[in-house]
Amino acid sequence: MSGENQQVDAFRTPDAPPSPTPVPAGPGQPGPASPSRARRLAVPAFYLAGVTAAFAYVGAVDPNEPGHYPVCPLFRLTGVLCPGCGGLRSAHAFAHGDLVTALGANALAVVGYFVFAGFMALWLVRAFRGGPTPRIVLRRRYWWAIGALALVFVIVRNLSFGSALAP
């Protein structure tokens, strides 16, 4: 080899064999030090603490009483219920364990609470065991289906026959 393509190793003599390529550690072989269990649990625990604090606040300050929270701007300007309308009332009922009232205020939000809870449980278990952080990986058509479901939810809850979905 010559010129700039030549490998330079300051600790190797010209007639010594090249240094071996590092091989990743396999099962049962010692590998690089993994972070401690407390360090792995810190990030998901931080997120869980934040969401718990938010639910505790909404559970303590009733959104059914006017003046505590701002009104939805879309509803104020157009009278149309967005997918999030009733979400605070739903969270308040959910925090108090009233699932029927929570579903009546915003059924889509309640589904979201359960999806979030499942994701957090998976993340905490994987962090405890030292596994990878879970990711929500869906194909594009599933994201479109979720968007279409939210759109149908908005349309139905704004029509007279869908008044059961309105907060």
Side-chain angles (χ1 to χ4, degrees), residues 90-111:
S90 175
H92 179 77
F94 194 82
H96 287 273
D98 189 359
L99 189 60
V100 173
T101 305
L103 282 167
N106 191 328
L108 197 60
V110 174
V111 171

Side-chain angles (χ1 to χ4, degrees), residues 36-49 120 123-124 127-128:
S36 70
R37 181 172 288 160
R39 179 171 232 144
R40 289 189 316 258
L41 287 170
V43 174
F46 177 75
Y47 278 97
L48 189 59
M120 283 306 302
W123 192 5
L124 287 166
F128 184 80

Side-chain angles (χ1 to χ4, degrees), residues 48 51 55 94 109-124:
L48 189 59
V51 170
F55 262 90
F94 194 82
V110 174
V111 171
Y113 305 151
F114 282 112
V115 169
F116 179 79
F119 181 81
M120 283 306 302
L122 179 64
W123 192 5
L124 287 166

